[in-house]
Amino acid sequence: AQTVTQSQPEMSVQEAETVTLSCTYDTSESDYYLFWYKQPPSRQMILVIRQEAYKQQNATENRFSVNFQKAAKSFSLKISDSQLGDAAMYFCAYRSARNYGGSQGNLIFGKGTKLSVKP
Amino acid sequence: DAGVTQSPTHLIKTRGQQVTLRCSPKSGHDTVSWYQQALGQGPQFIFQYYEEEERQRGNFPDRFSGHQFPNYSSELNVNALLLGDSALYLCASSLGWQGRAGNTIYFGEGSWLTVV
């Protein structure tokens, strides 16, 4: 079974600074996706960034980028120029690329990292 | 374009009772999944419906059951409620398998269930 581990329960960053959130995962599959989701106090999960395992290039979305190390099964999120609105719970998630009778795989989440941004 | 909508937003039930939560997927989506998120934890996968059939199921007891309707909306039913069932229940929608590229999963704002 696949597992996702986030070893940092809480992180803090100064506004405009850079912070990196860590995530490791375990799987025997070769084809999968990795995601970072943001969950603000409103509780709605918002997709921040996604990475396809078959792509070597690290994904980037504006101020958000990832460091994907497939052999090490590591997937960290870097937030540059942190803003007050970045404060939230961040979840790392894994999804298999298998076809489940016409439907795609479910998400497996880590326990999350609470990010605080100091003004 | 309406996103994923869930109802009710909040509800309180007594131990032993039954509850039904509802979800309408994002327009054009045909797959609905349900997740349970206990306080301070990451979401845990309950089950997924596609073409009105349960396609995948997580490690949840049979007290948790679901249904998908022809219009792709879905219900989550929980029988014989326990205090430990208190959680945020998230509905997520997506398209069916789209090949290697995959597609994005969208979440609703959740239904807060408190069991007393």
Side-chain angles (χ1 to χ4, degrees):
Chain A
Q2 296 85 15
T3 59
V4 176
T5 302
Q6 294 178 251
S7 58
Q8 305 155 317
E10 295 189 28
M11 291 284 284
S12 181
V13 63
Q14 206 71 31
E15 196 175 6
E17 296 293 310
T18 295
V19 65
T20 298
L21 307 185
S22 300
C23 172
T24 59
Y25 61 95
D26 191 27
T27 183
S28 59
E29 298 181 322
S30 59
D31 216 356
Y32 50 87
Y33 315 97
L34 296 165
F35 306 87
W36 281 96
Y37 278 88
K38 171 185 176 181
Q39 189 177 43
S42 68
R43 305 297 282 181
Q44 183 164 22
M45 285 285 187
I46 301 166
L47 178 64
V48 174
I49 198 166
R50 88 176 224 167
Q51 175 79 44
E52 287 88 352
Y54 63 88
K55 290 185 177 179
Q56 300 277 4
Q57 189 173 4
N58 288 325
T60 60
E61 286 288 341
N62 301 312
R63 298 182 295 108
F64 299 88
S65 62
V66 299
N67 183 4
F68 173 49
Q69 302 289 326
K70 190 172 184 179
K73 295 180 182 175
S74 170
F75 182 62
S76 61
L77 174 69
K78 185 172 81 172
I79 306 174
S80 304
D81 185 25
S82 296
Q83 301 174 0
L84 295 177
D86 294 334
M89 284 292 293
Y90 284 82
F91 292 96
C92 178
Y94 170 102
R95 177 157 63 87
S96 170
R98 283 176 53 195
N99 182 348
Y100 290 85
S103 65
Q104 59 184 346
N106 60 279
L107 289 164
I108 300 169
F109 287 90
K111 291 190 174 183
T113 296
K114 183 177 181 180
L115 178 65
S116 302
V117 181
K118 298 178 180 178
Chain B
D1 178 22
V4 181
T5 58
Q6 294 186 240
S7 63
T9 307
H10 295 83
L11 69 166
I12 300 174
K13 290 287 188 177
T14 304
R15 273 181 301 174
Q17 284 189 317
Q18 179 262 345
V19 68
T20 297
L21 308 178
R22 295 175 177 82
C23 172
S24 291
K26 180 177 170 61
S27 178
H29 283 184
D30 55 14
T31 303
V32 173
S33 302
W34 288 92
Y35 293 80
Q36 180 196 66
Q37 187 178 17
L39 208 57
Q41 300 293 318
Q44 298 289 315
F45 173 69
I46 303 175
F47 43 55
Q48 179 188 81
Y49 279 84
Y50 171 71
E51 292 188 336
E52 301 179 53
E53 290 187 14
E54 184 183 289
R55 300 290 178 164
Q56 300 172 68
R57 188 179 181 92
N59 189 25
F60 279 80
D62 292 345
R63 298 187 298 109
F64 290 77
S65 63
H67 188 78
Q68 185 179 35
F69 299 94
N71 67 353
Y72 307 122
S73 66
S74 176
E75 289 182 349
L76 164 65
N77 301 292
V78 187
N79 294 322
L81 285 166
L82 304 174
L83 295 178
D85 295 331
S86 294
L88 178 69
Y89 288 85
L90 294 166
C91 174
S93 79
S94 64
L95 287 170
W97 193 74
Q98 297 290 303
R100 199 182 196 192
N103 60 84
T104 301
I105 295 173
Y106 293 84
F107 283 84
E109 293 188 359
S111 294
W112 273 108
L113 171 65
T114 302
V115 182
V116 297

